Amino acid sequence: MTPKEAKKSERFKMTFPAKIVGEPIMTKLSHDFGVSYAEHYLLFHNKKDGTFEEVGQEAGPAFRAKRVARGAAVGDFNNDGELDLLVSHLADSPALLRNTTAPPQHALRIKLVGTKSNRDGFGARITVTAAGVKQMQEVRANSSYLSASDPRAHFGLGAATKVESIEIHWPSGQVDTIRDQKSDEDLIVEEGKGVIRRLPFQHGNPRRR
């Protein structure tokens, strides 16, 4: 081991208190990263150039407090079109972070109903085109440690008020194409039939409808 490697290894010290055979061996790991056990949440903004910017400190007091967080689930709990967060904590109550972005941007949300495919459409891939921008999502519920997010596919549209096309590739192999839809709605789409119901977002609604 070189002097440089020896110096580096000193930053990670694993100690084993002496114990007789049959008793548990306790381990202790120390480091000098300057990172405490409790940390503040991280929130990343997509800069649309292949990079992300951490903006948590600008997102309100909830992001500045330090907690031992474990899992995070994403969903629009009050159906106002803005994604909210539910974060679980170790030995503490969960935190529901309501999105109060102002002014709100436009969005479209799609709930799938499978017929030949599974009922929830899990595994389907949805491509939405709005204002010349394509977005793709795979329908799923898992998101984080012991967490399940809203299975509805949420597409942020920015300033776009309509969607040119929606293409759905179902697990069964069925492909459905839907054109010319308004923004700010929940679309319920049945495999092979298309849109069977529309529900406008409840802007300003503080509670779940």
Side-chain angles (χ1 to χ4, degrees):
M1 180 181 294
T2 66
K4 183 177 181 181
E5 290 173 334
K7 183 177 181 180
K8 183 177 180 181
S9 68
E10 291 177 357
R11 299 174 61 193
F12 303 90
K13 297 181 180 179
M14 190 75 77
T15 59
F16 296 88
K19 294 288 180 180
I20 62 174
V21 175
E23 291 187 8
I25 297 178
M26 303 299 293
T27 64
K28 181 179 180 181
L29 179 65
S30 62
H31 61 74
D32 62 355
F33 290 150
V35 179
S36 62
Y37 192 57
E39 300 175 335
H40 61 75
Y41 302 150
L42 298 177
L43 180 66
F44 292 92
H45 174 244
N46 186 348
K47 299 174 67 176
K48 300 182 180 180
D49 60 1
T51 65
F52 291 82
E53 178 184 12
E54 207 286 306
V55 295
Q57 298 302 297
E58 305 168 15
F63 284 83
R64 292 190 287 272
K66 291 187 176 182
R67 299 179 176 87
V68 183
R70 281 293 179 262
V74 181
D76 182 4
F77 86 97
N78 56 350
N79 289 312
D80 64 353
E82 299 175 354
L83 290 178
D84 309 295
L85 285 171
L86 181 67
V87 183
S88 63
H89 303 120
L90 181 64
D92 200 354
S93 300
L96 177 59
L97 308 181
R98 182 184 171 198
N99 187 343
T100 57
T101 302
Q105 299 292 298
H106 298 287
L108 183 74
R109 194 160 47 224
I110 300 171
K111 175 178 174 55
L112 298 185
V113 179
T115 52
K116 293 182 291 183
S117 302
N118 63 83
R119 180 68 175 175
D120 294 305
F122 289 150
R125 292 192 174 188
I126 305 174
T127 301
V128 167
T129 302
V133 177
K134 284 189 176 183
Q135 301 180 61
M136 190 279 289
Q137 287 191 42
E138 182 174 312
V139 177
R140 58 191 179 92
N142 60 305
S143 60
S144 182
Y145 176 70
L146 296 180
S147 303
S149 290
D150 189 338
R152 297 174 295 180
H154 182 103
F155 295 89
L157 304 179
T161 58
K162 69 175 184 178
V163 169
E164 286 92 50
S165 69
I166 303 168
E167 187 173 275
I168 305 169
H169 290 254
W170 297 84
S172 67
Q174 169 81 24
V175 178
D176 291 333
T177 301
I178 304 164
R179 301 192 184 279
D180 300 325
Q181 298 295 310
K182 295 188 300 182
S183 65
D184 302 326
E185 289 186 330
D186 274 302
L187 300 183
I188 302 177
V189 179
E190 185 174 320
E191 184 177 9
K193 287 188 177 180
V195 179
I196 59 173
R197 193 177 179 190
R198 291 179 173 82
L199 299 171
F201 290 161
Q202 303 297 300
H203 291 302
N205 181 14
R207 297 177 298 177
R208 181 189 296 275
R209 64 169 181 256

